[in-house]
Amino acid sequence: MVKATVNNFDYMHYSALSKAAKQYIYLKKCCLVTGAAFIAVSALTVITCFGKHKFDGVMLIAMTFALALFIGFVIRLVKMNPVRGFRDFQVKSPNYRFTIAFDNEEFFLDASTDFSENHTRYKYPRLISAAEADGFFIIGIEGSGSAVFSEGEFTEGTPDELRALLSSKLGAKYRRK
């Protein structure tokens, strides 16, 4: 049995979770691409204007469109900011804490807040994915969200035992970073 207990679900846990989310990673890439496109179109507009000594409306429209896309992606990325998200999470789930335990056949998640308690048993096919990032394990559970815990929060077993178990149960769905 491998077990981890998180008594203080803090910003570091939430940040590890949100920065590993596919949507957050995709949005960051979109910001980078649209920002680069805006810079490229702006440079081409300046070069065209200097070369022809006249204003090119098509380039200005392309530049404006790239800028609008970039601003839209940046605004969305700011809204997904882990600090802002964590503040909202704390309001909805004060004193969130959980214990997650893994054995050979199933895993258990006991979670509680000031308002509720939840004790759930899962079979391994319910694991969507598992990954390690920045010293945290991120466990994706189908229909239930995710659990995030660090190597220092193991109360039974070791991180190496969990890695071996997840690797054998999940195969390619388990990623080590």
Side-chain angles (χ1 to χ4, degrees):
M1 168 95 46
V2 178
K3 188 186 284 187
T5 300
V6 177
N7 288 317
N8 182 21
F9 191 82
D10 59 7
Y11 170 73
M12 294 303 293
H13 290 84
Y14 190 88
S15 179
L17 176 62
S18 62
K19 287 181 179 178
K22 289 180 183 178
Q23 184 181 14
Y24 186 80
I25 293 167
Y26 175 76
L27 203 50
K28 280 176 46 178
K29 288 178 183 176
C30 287
C31 281
L32 183 64
V33 168
T34 57
F38 172 70
I39 291 169
V41 171
S42 298
L44 286 173
T45 301
V46 169
I47 291 168
T48 302
C49 287
F50 281 132
K52 293 181 180 178
H53 297 293
K54 65 179 183 177
F55 179 72
D56 189 350
V58 173
M59 292 300 281
L60 182 62
I61 290 170
M63 186 173 69
T64 304
F65 180 73
L67 179 61
L69 273 177
F70 177 68
I71 289 171
F73 283 131
V74 167
I75 288 171
R76 182 69 183 123
L77 192 62
V78 166
K79 286 183 178 181
M80 288 182 69
N81 181 334
V83 173
R84 172 187 242 164
F86 182 64
R87 270 189 254 127
D88 293 343
F89 178 81
Q90 278 185 314
V91 169
K92 293 176 186 171
S93 305
N95 294 317
Y96 179 69
R97 56 207 167 277
F98 68 88
T99 297
I100 188 164
F102 300 86
D103 68 19
N104 288 331
E105 302 303 319
E106 55 195 4
F107 63 100
F108 310 88
L109 181 65
D110 295 332
S112 64
T113 68
D114 287 349
F115 305 128
S116 65
E117 286 187 22
N118 187 17
H119 309 285
T120 312
R121 175 183 299 198
Y122 299 99
K123 298 288 184 187
Y124 281 99
R126 292 286 306 271
L127 278 183
I128 297 169
S129 65
E132 284 183 68
D134 301 325
F136 285 92
F137 285 89
I138 302 162
I139 310 295
I141 306 167
E142 179 184 300
S144 298
S146 300
V148 179
F149 52 94
S150 71
E151 291 184 1
E153 292 167 321
F154 280 78
T155 55
E156 202 174 307
T158 66
D160 288 333
E161 288 176 303
L162 181 59
R163 287 181 190 107
L165 181 64
L166 291 174
S167 190
S168 71
K169 296 291 184 184
L170 297 176
K173 288 190 207 175
Y174 174 61
R175 295 183 323 272
R176 243 182 122 170
K177 293 184 180 182

